[in-house]
Amino acid sequence: MDSYSQDLIENDVKMRTPSMYEVIIHNDEITTMDFVTEVLTQIFHKTPPAAAALMMEVHTLGHGVAGVYVFDIAVTKKSQADLRASDRGFPLKLTIREADV
């Protein structure tokens, strides 16, 4: 590769860190604590103790961050949780917001 081509590659390609998004899980009066813990362990890959602690945070504070991901992954995780909740008859609500990272 000549120096002109190398210079173009180095100067034209600007890498940027992708924005990160939080998946927020919200408390409700119907979804069971066991189901929330199941979602946190199986979809968001939390350890059982971390899932239990986050589930209690959601229960007491009204919401909690299930995970922080790039946008496509955040949407996928939310969709998986929404589908599982719907299949089981729970009104579990999750939202996505841009993280302050």
Side-chain angles (χ1 to χ4, degrees):
M1 179 180 312
D2 62 30
S3 64
Y4 176 75
S5 297
Q6 183 66 33
D7 188 48
L8 283 176
I9 292 170
E10 290 174 2
N11 290 324
D12 285 349
V13 177
K14 298 203 185 330
M15 299 295 287
R16 68 177 181 91
T17 304
S19 297
M20 300 300 286
Y21 294 83
E22 296 174 332
V23 180
I24 310 298
I25 188 165
H26 300 271
N27 188 46
D28 65 68
E29 299 299 321
I30 299 169
T31 305
T32 65
M33 292 179 179
D34 286 341
F35 181 74
V36 171
T37 303
E38 175 186 316
V39 166
L40 291 171
T41 56
Q42 294 181 6
I43 295 175
F44 293 94
H45 304 291
K46 303 288 185 198
T47 64
L54 182 53
M55 177 272 300
M56 286 308 299
E57 178 183 325
V58 170
H59 181 68
T60 58
L61 299 178
H63 65 279
V65 177
V68 180
Y69 310 95
V70 295
F71 185 74
D72 290 346
I73 302 294
V75 169
T76 298
K77 298 277 188 189
K78 179 188 178 306
S79 296
Q80 291 171 335
D82 288 344
L83 181 60
R84 185 173 296 195
S86 177
D87 286 349
R88 300 274 287 279
F90 290 118
L92 182 65
K93 180 181 176 187
L94 295 99
T95 57
I96 297 172
R97 70 176 177 208
E98 191 165 3
D100 296 328
V101 179

